[in-house]
Amino acid sequence: MKRFVLIFFISPLNTSASTLDNLLQKNEHSEWNYFFISQPFNGRISQSSEEKVAKLFNGKKIVFNNDLLSITDACTYKYATQLNSPLSFWKSSKTVSFYKIFFSDYKIKIPDSFLNITPENPSEKCEFPFSDFLVLDNEIVFFYENNAVFYFKSQEELKSHVKNNINVINERSTSSSKVCKENEHHTDDYDTSYECFYKALSLIDTYREYRNELKEEDNKYLVDKIISNKDFSIKCDSDSGCLTVIYKWNGPDNLAITQQFDGGRTVISFSKEAQGCRVVTKLSPD
């Protein structure tokens, strides 16, 4: 009698570990070559300051090789990892809300846990900011001067976060005939505001254009169509993080939309002018 031996090879469905897991295990092998610089946290744009940040980071490549971290023309050291929640790192729910809103402008989400990278040896000679930064899994974040510097592994990842953000020096023109700029604000609060001027568009057409430019997860909070001078409000889904959205007109040429979220409030103001329509968006964390 012939006997058959059946041998089963069982392999896991997903064998790839996340960047955070690899870093915690000192088993990460990756290069981060691509970066961009955020708008200033306080909204006060300074070309000289941005040039200073760009000069410092220009040509810098971040390389992880097991337990070693190398930064081009800066330093190499054995790194330590500290797993944090947003609240344990920033110590304030208001500060957490500020950074969540600020990062969302660049389509970057702060996860429930992330890593703080520092030298394993505190006496290691490596100057700030390269001696203290965050890894959010698919992004590295340095804080320097009044800006965040975001690093990515590939150019495609960088482009997916840059193409629709408001990272400008002074002003920029877009294909939709608009000019945008970020406004200054007081340093004693975390409010952020920016404005765009839509040339030769009515208020209703500007609203439609503004809504179409938003990401899907953001434009779902705005109704598809509005009627001039008609006030109304809507309640959001309870599990969406959005509480209410209020549409309030002040005559046919001015509309204010207030979005109330769990973590703060966004007010979008539309004002019709002779040459087009101005839109001011103000983000206010609780």
Side-chain angles (χ1 to χ4, degrees), residues 155-271:
Q155 193 168 13
E156 290 72 22
E157 288 177 307
L158 178 142
K159 287 180 178 179
S160 70
H161 293 280
V162 170
K163 61 182 179 181
N164 289 326
N165 68 42
I166 56 170
N167 187 20
V168 297
I169 301 176
N170 298 325
E171 293 188 340
R172 64 179 171 91
S173 296
T174 70
S175 59
S176 59
S177 298
K178 71 174 181 180
V179 175
C180 297
K181 65 179 181 179
E182 186 157 349
N183 297 327
E184 293 187 1
H185 63 269
H186 300 294
T187 57
D188 57 353
D189 61 41
Y190 292 101
D191 291 355
T192 300
S193 70
Y194 57 95
E195 66 180 66
C196 292
F197 186 79
Y198 292 75
K199 299 177 182 178
L201 289 183
S202 67
L203 192 154
I204 298 294
D205 288 338
T206 298
Y207 173 85
R208 184 184 304 112
E209 184 77 13
Y210 177 90
R211 184 181 183 276
N212 289 340
E213 291 171 350
L214 295 175
K215 297 173 289 183
E216 183 177 353
E217 59 264 32
D218 293 328
N219 70 21
K220 68 181 180 181
Y221 301 125
L222 298 176
V223 297
D224 187 23
K225 296 180 180 179
I226 57 174
I227 299 175
S228 179
N229 239 7
K230 182 178 180 180
D231 297 344
F232 64 96
S233 63
I234 57 176
K235 289 187 177 182
C236 306
D237 295 334
S238 58
D239 59 348
S240 67
C242 169
L243 303 177
T244 59
V245 181
I246 301 171
Y247 288 74
K248 179 68 176 177
W249 291 82
N250 183 18
D253 294 335
N254 294 279
L255 168 65
I257 303 172
T258 302
Q259 300 172 309
Q260 189 66 50
F261 297 93
D262 286 335
R265 182 177 66 256
T266 299
V267 178
I268 311 163
S269 301
F270 296 80
S271 302

Side-chain angles (χ1 to χ4, degrees), residues 29-259:
H29 298 269
S30 60
E31 295 185 1
W32 307 67
N33 298 316
Y34 305 93
F35 75 93
F36 69 84
I37 303 166
S38 78
Q39 285 288 297
F41 296 127
N42 63 6
R44 297 181 177 179
I45 298 173
S46 167
Q47 186 169 352
S48 60
S49 176
E50 183 153 342
E51 287 176 350
K52 179 181 178 181
V53 178
K55 183 178 180 180
L56 177 65
F57 283 89
N58 188 35
K60 295 292 191 296
K61 180 168 64 173
I62 315 302
V63 180
F64 287 101
N65 186 12
N66 290 331
D67 62 344
L68 280 180
L69 167 64
S70 298
I71 301 172
T72 307
D73 297 329
C75 51
T76 297
Y77 59 82
K78 288 187 176 183
Y79 62 90
T81 58
Q82 177 65 50
L83 191 64
N84 295 276
S85 69
L87 188 58
S88 68
F89 183 78
W90 278 297
K91 311 299 184 185
S92 162
S93 57
K94 184 175 182 178
T95 306
V96 171
S97 295
F98 167 76
Y99 281 112
K100 283 186 174 181
I101 293 172
F102 188 89
F103 282 24
S104 70
D105 282 335
Y106 306 98
K107 294 183 287 186
I108 293 175
K109 181 180 180 181
I110 296 177
D112 294 335
S113 59
F114 54 81
L115 290 179
N116 183 202
I117 303 294
T118 57
E120 189 176 85
N121 182 357
S123 63
E124 186 72 49
K125 293 182 179 180
C126 188
E127 295 184 359
F128 184 83
F130 303 115
S131 59
D132 193 342
F133 60 91
L134 304 182
V135 180
L136 307 182
D137 199 4
N138 294 317
E139 304 89 17
I140 286 177
V141 187
F142 292 93
F143 297 96
Y144 186 68
E145 294 285 304
N146 195 29
N147 306 83
V149 180
F150 299 104
Y151 263 82
F152 304 88
K153 294 179 182 178
S154 70
Q155 193 168 13
E156 290 72 22
E157 288 177 307
L158 178 142
K159 287 180 178 179
S160 70
H161 293 280
V162 170
K163 61 182 179 181
N164 289 326
N165 68 42
I166 56 170
N167 187 20
V168 297
I169 301 176
N170 298 325
E171 293 188 340
R172 64 179 171 91
S173 296
T174 70
S175 59
S176 59
S177 298
K178 71 174 181 180
V179 175
C180 297
K181 65 179 181 179
E182 186 157 349
N183 297 327
E184 293 187 1
H185 63 269
H186 300 294
T187 57
D188 57 353
D189 61 41
Y190 292 101
D191 291 355
T192 300
S193 70
Y194 57 95
E195 66 180 66
C196 292
F197 186 79
Y198 292 75
K199 299 177 182 178
L201 289 183
S202 67
L203 192 154
I204 298 294
D205 288 338
T206 298
Y207 173 85
R208 184 184 304 112
E209 184 77 13
Y210 177 90
R211 184 181 183 276
N212 289 340
E213 291 171 350
L214 295 175
K215 297 173 289 183
E216 183 177 353
E217 59 264 32
D218 293 328
N219 70 21
K220 68 181 180 181
Y221 301 125
L222 298 176
V223 297
D224 187 23
K225 296 180 180 179
I226 57 174
I227 299 175
S228 179
N229 239 7
K230 182 178 180 180
D231 297 344
F232 64 96
S233 63
I234 57 176
K235 289 187 177 182
C236 306
D237 295 334
S238 58
D239 59 348
S240 67
C242 169
L243 303 177
T244 59
V245 181
I246 301 171
Y247 288 74
K248 179 68 176 177
W249 291 82
N250 183 18
D253 294 335
N254 294 279
L255 168 65
I257 303 172
T258 302
Q259 300 172 309

Side-chain angles (χ1 to χ4, degrees), residues 1-5:
M1 178 182 295
K2 295 183 179 180
R3 296 182 179 180
F4 297 91
V5 178

